[in-house]
Amino acid sequence: MNIPPEQTLARLLESPTRFLFFTGKGGVGKTSLACASAIHLADAGKHVLLVSTDPASNLDEVLGVPLAVTPTEIVRVPGLAALNIDPVAAAAAYREKLVGPYRGQLPETVLRSMEEQLSGACTMEIAAFNEFAKLLGDPVATAGYDHVIFDTAPTGHTLRLLSLPGAWTSFLSNSTSGTSCLGPLAGLDQARGVYDQAVAALADGAHTTLVLVSRAQRAALAEAERTSQELTAIGVRNQKLILNGLFRASGADPIALALEHRGNEALNAAGAFLARMRLAKVPLRAKNLLGIPALRALVTADYFQSASPPDAAELPPLTATESLGQLVDRLARAGCGVIMTMGKGGVGKTTIAAAIATELARRGYPVHLSTTDPAAHIAAAAGEIKGMRVSRIDPLVETRAYVESVLADAGKNLDAAGRAMLEEDLRSPCTEEIAVFRAFARVVAEGQGSFVVLDTAPTGHTLLLLDATESYHREIARKASTLPESVRELLPRLRDPNFTHVLIVTLPEATPVHEAGMLQADLRRAHIEPFAWIINQSFALSGSQDPLLMARERGEVPFIREVTEKLSTRTILVPWVLAEPAGPERLQQFFPGHPAI
């Protein structure tokens, strides 16, 4: 692949700003590219801090170094340090900061009540934001570094994170009574100056660059364009784009040609967007990017050489796996219930959810396909089919409806001053979390009489949602008579293996598999047992003779075996398919030999 000099990653990193944000759809390679960029700048003699704001960070695995919430020096890369903003640890510290001064002064029951108010997902996000804002808005916190690189979470979470400084600054400015500074918001006013500086830094193109990362895929490019527009609207205008994982077939292999064709189609469709962006191109590698040497290779010339053909030894047989059609056979026996796809961003949860939903609808079952993902593309993936309804839990719509409901109920008997205080409370960004939670419970309840297929958000956001479910359920248990039945019954339904079937979706690669393993452990701690694992987009069954794809196929085998032998009792292996799996007809590629009945 011929890459013009002005479009290499190294050229993109010339004259970098102090702050660089890497963002994009889950699974496009943000972490690898953020790490490679940090290493490249450190190798050039700069002092660099690499930070992950992703609740499901995998910086440790990519760099091969255990990280903490404080900077850890990367010994093999002089000048580079890295840290993870751990939402759980940040929330615990934030909670103790607010509750600690009252220990020994207030009764234990009051302290427990305060801790309960601070136990949900909103507290976790506020606490993580505090850490983020200090790095961005407090010059002292990063005084020893020439550059700070943020490996951000998948796009929906990133947009929320980047918009919160303005939202919270506005909320604090408009707060007049002080009564709203309770619970999770109680500590915000103490850092007003840092938030103001964070907002200013984000909008300052001389100091901050947004690096959008995308694959040559329609959904990823569409999301990159939407992200670009939304961040421009909040003042982040210094933007660059990296096209990652580009592929060119080396011969007439039909699988390789189809992969190249799909990429070219996506790039052509996004031509207008690409034409106005400063961009770099990074080709697909034969192996996964783990460890310092592999990351350095992203910005060196020898990276662009063709892959060598693998040895002629036959692949070992991949046993103990089922097809997606066999999985739908099992799920259909229940006749109704909830099916949830979960996993790391970019592994194909939306596509798998759409495929399962359309197949169930073909078989005559009523199906509601929905998503809680802030960056969903589910309507485009599923298309239209008789018997299936497609929806999205839209945070803006749900929040508006929830606020109107609370004002009509709790505010109907309040005087003007009381209603004003209630409206002030509802302007808090945390209101959105509660509204989405209630909508999620409402959709899950539909599984009593039909199939509900939920395409959930990427791992970190999903776990925050489930944590909110647990915390919210405990908090309102004493007031159950005033709650919708869907909210009262949500946790029992999620934990009922006959009602809810959780499908963990992953790719046959190190980071997605290991992150999915952590997700499974977290689900089990929440007393939710996964029904099956789905290994998506595998070249192991493709039969490709392209050297690069054959090398990737061989690289998949250890991770497929890790899933089947150590992590899952039921594993579904889904092959990479020739046509872009969007719409009912193309989704049928996943079900050869399983016609609609």
Side-chain angles (χ1 to χ4, degrees), residues 508-544:
E509 301 172 8
T511 299
V513 166
H514 297 157
E515 189 167 304
M518 291 187 285
L519 167 62
Q520 177 166 262
D522 286 333
L523 288 170
R524 285 173 171 168
R525 280 194 289 273
H527 307 291
I528 299 172
E529 182 64 29
F531 182 73
W533 280 53
I534 298 176
I535 302 175
N536 195 24
Q537 300 176 25
S538 172
F539 286 103
L541 301 178
S542 70
S544 174

Side-chain angles (χ1 to χ4, degrees), residues 61 288 290 506-511 513-514 533 535 554-565 567:
E61 182 168 30
N288 294 321
L290 294 176
T506 187
L507 299 177
E509 301 172 8
T511 299
V513 166
H514 297 157
W533 280 53
I535 302 175
R554 291 185 178 279
E556 292 178 2
V557 174
F559 304 109
I560 295 174
R561 284 186 155 180
E562 184 174 352
V563 173
T564 59
E565 297 174 7
L567 294 170

Side-chain angles (χ1 to χ4, degrees), residues 443-457:
V443 173
V444 166
E446 294 181 26
Q448 297 174 96
S450 64
F451 278 109
V452 172
V453 181
L454 273 164
D455 163 38
T456 57

Side-chain angles (χ1 to χ4, degrees), residues 230 392-403 432 435-436:
E230 294 190 12
R392 173 178 173 241
I393 296 176
D394 187 318
L396 293 178
V397 173
E398 297 299 337
T399 301
R400 189 181 307 117
Y402 174 70
V403 168
E432 180 183 302
V436 171

Side-chain angles (χ1 to χ4, degrees), residues 49-202:
L49 177 63
L50 178 60
V51 181
S52 176
T53 62
D54 192 336
S57 173
N58 63 319
L59 271 187
D60 307 58
E61 182 168 30
V62 174
L63 290 172
V65 178
L67 300 179
V69 296
T70 55
T72 297
E73 299 294 327
I74 310 302
V75 177
R76 298 176 63 188
V77 187
L80 176 62
L83 66 86
N84 284 321
I85 293 179
D86 183 342
V88 176
Y94 182 81
R95 188 161 50 243
E96 183 57 28
K97 178 181 178 181
L98 297 182
V99 178
Y102 299 100
R103 296 193 188 282
Q105 300 182 35
L106 295 176
E108 191 64 29
T109 54
V110 175
L111 293 175
R112 282 199 299 269
S113 178
M114 292 173 65
E115 290 174 339
E116 191 65 47
Q117 292 181 52
L118 295 163
S119 64
C122 187
T123 298
M124 193 176 295
E125 190 162 6
I126 290 172
F129 169 74
N130 274 344
E131 303 302 313
F132 161 84
K134 281 189 290 187
L135 293 171
L136 185 62
D138 181 2
V140 176
T142 57
Y145 301 99
D146 300 303
H147 302 285
V148 182
I149 296 178
F150 291 89
D151 166 35
T152 58
T155 307
H157 183 271
T158 299
L159 289 174
R160 179 168 169 76
L161 185 62
L162 294 182
S163 67
L164 283 176
W168 280 340
T169 299
S170 174
F171 176 74
L172 293 172
S173 298
N174 294 331
S175 178
T176 57
S177 67
T179 57
S180 293
C181 290
L182 299 172
L185 294 170
L188 291 180
D189 199 37
Q190 303 170 18
R192 185 194 299 264
V194 174
Y195 297 150
D196 289 340
Q197 292 170 10
V199 173
L202 285 170

